[in-house]
């Protein structure tokens, strides 16, 4: 009888331990880790952006490749100013959820794993959402043609437009 009681006690203790572990896992919020292998880089200090934006410059253009490549991380609420690229641009969204808008068109939600082609000379902006960060690899194409031409900031009204719908 004593043996059975000890066995039951051990079983009870074991189940309690498992239960506590599961509960701890359910309530422990791990900080969300970035899925991109590239580090955030340096904080951008520029009037061409609103909010906190990080840049890791990956590839400097040269006469063979004609591309600039950088990993850009926007903290929630951060975005570029309106701008266009004389040689176009391609965005590879590597982490989070963000926004992209071409002048005169609705705001598009862009998510990790998605690709955006910004045609040459079309004014647009890109950035995080109000509540979530977004990282993309920005590829400036045809750099022999020209670079980014910066315009006015994206106002809060423009940035929040889709959230009012
Ligand atoms: Mn752009």
């Amino acid at each position: 009888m004593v043996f059975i009681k000890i066995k039951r006690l051990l079983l009870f203790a074991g189940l309690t331990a498992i239960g506590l572990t599961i509960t701890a896992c359910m309530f422990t919020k791990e900080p969300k880790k970035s899925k991109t292998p590239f580090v955030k880089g340096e904080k951008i200090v520029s009037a061409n952006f609103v909010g906190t934006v990080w840049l890791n410059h990956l590839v400097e253009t040269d006469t063979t490749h004609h591309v600039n490549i950088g990993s850009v991380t926007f903290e929630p609420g951060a975005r570029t100013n309106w701008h266009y690229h004389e040689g176009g641009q391609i965005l590879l969204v590597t982490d989070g959820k963000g926004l992209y808008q071409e002048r005169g068109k609705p705001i598009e939600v862009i998510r990790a794993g998605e690709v955006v082609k910004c045609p040459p000379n079309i004014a647009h902006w890109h950035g995080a959402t109000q509540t979530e960060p977004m990282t993309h690899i920005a590829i400036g194409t045809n750099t022999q043609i020209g670079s980014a031409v910066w315009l006015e900031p994206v106002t809060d009204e423009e940035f929040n437009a889709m959230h009012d719908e």
Side-chain angles (χ1 to χ4, degrees):
M1 283 301 280
V2 175
F3 179 68
I4 290 169
K5 270 188 181 166
I6 290 170
K7 225 172 129 182
R8 277 188 186 160
L9 195 68
L10 284 174
L11 184 68
F12 177 74
L15 289 175
T16 306
I18 291 167
L20 286 173
T21 307
I22 291 169
T23 309
C25 288
M26 283 167 68
F27 291 97
T28 307
K29 264 199 172 174
E30 288 284 319
K32 218 176 154 190
K33 278 184 186 150
S34 168
K35 291 179 192 76
T36 170
F38 302 109
V39 297
K40 280 202 299 188
E42 305 293 325
K43 206 182 269 193
I44 296 178
V45 182
S46 166
N48 295 329
F49 296 82
V50 169
T52 303
V53 185
W54 303 78
L55 171 66
N56 175 2
H57 206 98
L58 300 171
V59 176
E60 202 77 59
T61 194
D62 60 44
T63 53
T64 304
H65 300 93
H66 309 290
V67 290
N68 268 314
I69 305 177
S71 181
V72 190
T73 299
F74 299 85
E75 292 191 358
R79 66 266 189 179
T80 66
N81 284 3
W82 286 99
H83 65 283
Y84 59 89
H85 307 272
E86 292 171 319
Q89 183 184 47
I90 295 169
L91 306 173
L92 312 177
V93 186
T94 51
D95 200 19
K97 183 175 154 189
L99 304 174
Y100 172 80
Q101 183 179 29
E102 290 178 5
R103 186 92 79 188
K105 292 187 179 175
I107 294 174
E108 292 174 42
V109 175
I110 54 175
R111 293 178 173 84
E114 294 182 352
V115 175
V116 180
K117 275 184 173 174
C118 317
N121 302 314
I122 297 294
H124 67 274
W125 62 269
H126 24 117
T129 67
Q130 278 180 329
T131 54
E132 289 171 78
M134 187 273 284
T135 302
H136 63 42
I137 291 179
I139 306 172
T141 50
N142 307 300
T143 53
Q144 75 280 15
I145 294 174
S147 54
V149 176
W150 291 97
L151 307 168
E152 76 281 8
V154 175
T155 64
D156 286 343
E157 198 182 9
E158 287 172 317
F159 182 67
N160 295 328
M162 75 174 303
H163 304 283
D164 298 335
E165 286 168 9

